[in-house]
C-alpha cells in the first residue's frame, strides 16, 4: 500500500508513506495518481486531487466538506438526526433577521462563527449588548439553544470504530469545555448512547475521521459539532489512532469494480 501524506505530523511512522508539501503538489501529479491513498490534504487541495487527479483521499470528502462549515454541518445533522441536534437558527445578518432571532431565542443562548474551532468564535449571549457585539462581528447569524451542561463528551471515530471517548469538563471561567480554552479531560466511562450517536452520524454522513462533541442532557445525547482535525490531548500515549487509520486504509484499499461482480449462472436451463 503506497501512501502520500500532506501532513507529516499526523502520519509519523506510517509505513511506505511519502511526504509532500501541500504547496508543491502539482510537481507530483503522476505520483499522486498512482498512490493508493492521499492523506490529510489541505481543504483547498480537495477538488484538484479528487476531481483533477482522481485521488482517493483520507479523511473522506464528506469529512472535509461537512466539517468545513458549521452551517453545512448543522444542516446535515438536522437531516439525519433531528432529535439529537440542538434547536438552531441560521439567518443572514440583516436588521430583520437580528430582531427575529432576538425575539425568538430565549436567553441565554449560544452564538457561533461558522468556521471557527477550538472554542474560538463562540459567544454566550446573556444580554442585548452581547447580541449586538456578536452581530457586529458575524457574517452569518448562527445561534443555538443553550444546553444546561458543565461538560461534554469527545468521541473520536475512525472508519467504523470509536477509537476513544472521554469527558471534557468546563474551564474554570465557565462555559467552554474545549481543552484549548481551559477545559480538562476526564477518562471516566461515557454513556454508550454518546458513542452510538457519533458512530451513527459518521456512518450516515460518510465521515471517517472526526472528533464528535456530544452533550448529554437528561440521558439524551445531542451532537454539537465534529472536528475533522481534532486534538490529541485525550488520545493517550499509545498508537491506537495510527492503528485505526492504517486498518481502515488497508481494508478499503482495493477500489470497487465499476462493472460489479460477474453475473451468477441462472439456476435454470437457458434456451439457445
Amino acid at each position: 500500500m503506497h501512501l502520500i501524506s500532506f501532513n507529516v505530523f499526523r502520519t509519523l511512522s506510517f509505513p511506505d508513506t511519502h511526504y509532500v508539501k501541500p504547496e508543491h503538489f502539482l510537481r507530483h501529479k503522476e505520483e499522486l495518481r498512482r498512490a493508493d491513498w492521499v492523506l490529510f490534504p489541505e481543504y483547498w487541495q480537495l477538488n484538484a486531487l479528487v476531481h483533477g487527479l482522481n485521488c482517493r483521499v483520507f479523511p473522506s470528502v464528506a469529512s472535509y466538506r461537512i466539517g468545513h462549515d458549521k452551517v453545512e454541518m448543522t444542516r446535515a445533522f438536522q437531516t439525519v438526526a433531528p432529535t439529537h441536534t440542538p434547536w438552531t437558527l441560521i439567518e443572514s445578518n440583516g436588521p430583520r433577521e437580528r430582531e427575529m432571532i432576538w425575539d425568538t431565542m430565549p436567553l441565554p443562548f449560544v452564538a457561533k462563527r461558522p468556521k471557527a474551532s477550538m472554542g474560538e468564535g463562540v459567544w454566550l449571549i446573556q444580554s442585548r449588548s452581547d447580541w449586538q457585539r456578536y452581530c457586529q462581528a458575524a457574517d452569518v447569524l448562527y445561534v443555538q439553544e443553550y444546553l444546561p451542561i458543565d461538560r461534554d463528551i469527545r468521541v473520536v471515530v475512525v472508519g467504523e470504530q470509536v477509537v476513544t471517548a472521554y469527558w471534557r469538563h468546563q474551564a474554570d471561567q465557565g462555559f467552554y469545555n474545549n481543552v484549548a480554552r481551559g477545559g480538562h479531560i476526564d477518562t471516566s466511562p461515557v454513556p454508550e448512547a454518546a458513542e452510538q450517536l457519533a458512530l451513527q452520524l459518521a456512518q450516515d454522513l460518510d465521515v471517517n475521521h472526526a472528533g464528535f462533541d456530544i452533550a448529554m442532557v437528561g440521558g439524551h445525547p445531542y451532537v454539537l459539532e465534529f472536528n475533522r482535525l481534532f486534538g490529541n490531548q485525550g488520545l493517550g500515549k499509545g498508537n491506537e489512532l495510527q492503528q485505526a487509520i492504517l486498518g481502515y486504509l488497508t481494508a478499503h484499499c482495493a477500489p470497487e469494480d465499476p462493472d460489479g461482480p460477474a453475473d451468477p449462472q441462472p439456476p435454470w436451463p437457458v434456451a439457445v
Side-chain angles (χ1 to χ4, degrees):
M1 185 169 62
H2 177 50
L3 309 174
I4 293 180
S5 171
F6 288 107
N7 189 322
V8 65
F9 299 108
R10 291 186 178 268
T11 54
L12 281 174
S13 73
F14 277 36
D16 194 21
T17 302
H18 177 57
Y19 171 68
V20 173
K21 290 184 177 181
E23 60 269 26
H24 296 164
F25 84 100
L26 289 176
R27 303 177 188 176
H28 301 269
K29 291 193 291 186
E30 292 307 314
E31 187 179 0
L32 287 162
R33 286 191 178 102
R34 294 193 300 268
D36 293 302
W37 286 98
V38 175
L39 310 180
F40 297 103
E42 298 293 325
Y43 184 84
W44 59 263
Q45 296 177 274
L46 195 62
N47 286 337
L49 292 171
V50 173
H51 303 296
L53 298 177
N54 296 315
C55 296
R56 304 178 71 206
V57 299
F58 179 90
S60 65
V61 172
S63 300
Y64 277 87
R65 291 185 175 153
I66 298 173
H68 189 63
D69 185 303
K70 288 185 176 66
V71 171
E72 301 299 329
M73 186 187 304
T74 298
R75 287 173 175 155
F77 291 157
Q78 290 171 330
T79 301
V80 300
T83 62
H84 297 281
T85 307
W87 178 29
T88 307
L89 298 177
I90 302 168
E91 299 288 345
S92 59
N93 191 353
R96 272 182 21 185
E97 291 81 3
R98 294 181 183 186
E99 289 303 312
M100 182 275 291
I101 290 176
W102 177 256
D103 292 339
T104 302
M105 189 68 72
L107 290 173
F109 59 89
V110 178
K112 299 180 181 180
R113 196 166 63 235
K115 293 185 180 180
S117 61
M118 296 189 297
E120 300 291 337
V122 180
W123 286 259
L124 179 61
I125 308 300
Q126 302 182 87
S127 66
R128 186 79 183 217
S129 59
D130 290 340
W131 178 236
Q132 290 171 341
R133 282 193 293 271
Y134 167 75
C135 291
Q136 291 169 0
D139 296 321
V140 175
L141 303 179
Y142 175 105
V143 304
Q144 286 186 326
E145 64 176 312
Y146 175 80
L147 299 179
I149 59 172
D150 63 358
R151 71 197 72 184
D152 64 16
I153 300 167
R154 168 60 59 85
V155 182
V156 175
V157 175
V158 173
E160 297 88 18
Q161 66 171 304
V162 171
V163 177
T164 189
Y166 52 89
W167 294 95
R168 302 187 308 172
H169 287 258
Q170 206 167 78
D172 291 339
Q173 74 269 28
F175 186 53
Y176 296 101
N177 300 322
N178 309 74
V179 175
R181 299 296 300 271
H184 62 275
I185 290 169
D186 174 4
T187 57
S188 301
V190 307
E192 183 179 355
E195 296 189 17
Q196 290 303 313
L197 175 58
L199 277 174
Q200 189 62 50
L201 289 166
Q203 177 182 338
D204 290 345
L205 299 175
D206 192 29
V207 170
N208 61 6
H209 183 273
F212 287 88
D213 295 339
I214 308 293
M216 299 297 298
V217 179
H220 185 79
Y222 288 91
V223 59
L224 303 177
E225 61 182 79
F226 74 79
N227 291 281
R228 171 176 52 86
L229 297 179
F230 45 83
N232 60 6
Q233 296 93 333
L235 295 175
K237 303 300 182 182
N239 61 349
E240 294 89 351
L241 181 61
Q242 174 181 314
Q243 291 177 345
I245 293 173
L246 290 173
Y248 177 88
L249 298 178
T250 301
H252 295 80
C253 187
E256 295 181 1
D257 182 356
D259 298 322
D263 292 335
Q265 291 297 318
W268 56 84
V270 178
V272 295

